[in-house]
Amino acid sequence: MKKLIVPLLFLIAGVLNAQDQYAMGMEKAMQLWTEQKTAEASNLFERIAMAESDNWLPYFYVSVVNTTASFGEKDEEKLTQQLEKAKEFIAIAKRISPDNAEILVQEAMINTAWIAFDGATYGMTLSGKNVKLYNEAMKIAPQNPRVLLSKAEWDMGSARYFGKDTTPYCNDIEKALELFATFKSDIPFYPVWGKERAEQVLKECKA
């Protein structure tokens, strides 16, 4: 019996050590991102992803970091590199975790970054894809506040473009804020962003 217990203890210790390394790495990458060290954060998330090949979250964050960095970027070559990398890594995340609403929202954000860069070129081709992505995300996770917030902001932008009233979507923003108060996940490093953005948009609604 002792011969069985000792290897088992070593196995457990190895698993715990790997979990600790993952947590430390993710925390460090998050810190770098918070400090706006985009390239360093992206590279660290990528190294974690290579070590955690069955975990969608580090792949997801490589995509998110590169996408958020692309908003406001004027250099088309740099923007293309960032968004192609974002697309590559979110595709891997999607293979690992299909039917994941957070991933669908991130796919839509990549499209939105292209539209923000050049609406005349990308608006017609990518807008319809975003509508499908947000509708699919809502079917999968209607109680996810980020899904509702992101879809509402997209709908508001479309309404403004066509000169329509955005007021109905303010109700969705308000509902998203309510969901932020109760939505929780037991998965470490699960996305938590959005509440401050929802508060800002709701303030603009009431202005």
Side-chain angles (χ1 to χ4, degrees):
M1 186 67 178
K2 185 178 179 181
K3 290 181 179 179
L4 291 173
I5 292 173
V6 173
L8 183 60
L9 291 175
F10 276 113
L11 177 62
I12 292 170
V15 170
L16 291 174
N17 184 52
Q19 289 174 341
D20 288 344
Q21 287 182 335
Y22 168 72
M24 287 189 293
M26 290 291 283
E27 286 169 4
K28 178 62 177 176
M30 292 287 186
Q31 181 184 340
L32 289 168
W33 189 21
T34 302
E35 295 169 355
Q36 298 185 332
K37 296 176 180 177
T38 304
E40 294 94 329
S42 176
N43 290 338
L44 182 49
F45 279 127
E46 187 172 351
R47 289 199 298 274
I48 296 167
M50 297 304 104
E52 298 279 334
S53 58
D54 60 346
N55 185 341
W56 65 275
L57 278 165
Y59 291 96
F60 171 84
Y61 281 115
V62 172
S63 183
V64 173
V65 167
N66 282 277
T67 303
T68 54
S70 73
F71 283 96
E73 179 59 61
K74 304 299 182 185
D75 184 331
E76 186 170 2
E77 184 178 349
K78 184 176 180 181
L79 177 129
T80 300
Q81 289 175 347
Q82 289 172 327
L83 293 182
E84 285 300 317
K85 187 165 198 172
K87 185 178 179 180
E88 175 191 349
F89 275 78
I90 205 63
I92 299 171
K94 195 172 187 177
R95 288 199 295 270
I96 296 168
S97 180
D99 299 322
N100 185 321
E102 300 282 358
I103 289 173
L104 294 174
V105 169
Q106 171 54 20
E107 283 189 89
M109 290 303 295
I110 296 170
N111 292 340
T112 302
W114 279 116
I115 295 169
F117 176 70
D118 187 349
T121 300
Y122 300 106
M124 290 293 290
T125 56
L126 297 180
S127 292
K129 291 182 179 180
N130 271 11
V131 171
K132 289 180 181 178
L133 286 166
Y134 284 127
N135 287 340
E136 188 179 347
M138 281 296 293
K139 286 180 183 177
I140 293 170
Q143 299 303 308
N144 183 315
R146 276 170 298 284
V147 172
L148 188 55
L149 168 64
S150 300
K151 183 178 185 301
E153 279 211 85
W154 173 260
D155 289 339
M156 290 172 88
S158 299
R160 287 192 197 98
Y161 181 79
F162 291 107
K164 295 182 179 179
D165 184 16
T166 61
T167 305
Y169 306 113
C170 291
N171 295 330
D172 292 333
I173 300 295
E174 199 160 0
K175 184 180 177 183
L177 259 179
E178 292 171 2
L179 291 173
F180 274 115
T182 57
F183 186 88
K184 289 182 175 62
S185 173
D186 294 330
I187 301 171
F189 305 105
Y190 194 87
V192 295
W193 64 268
K195 183 180 178 183
E196 292 80 6
R197 176 61 184 168
E199 290 171 340
Q200 180 186 342
V201 175
L202 188 60
K203 191 179 294 183
E204 292 169 1
C205 281
K206 296 179 177 180

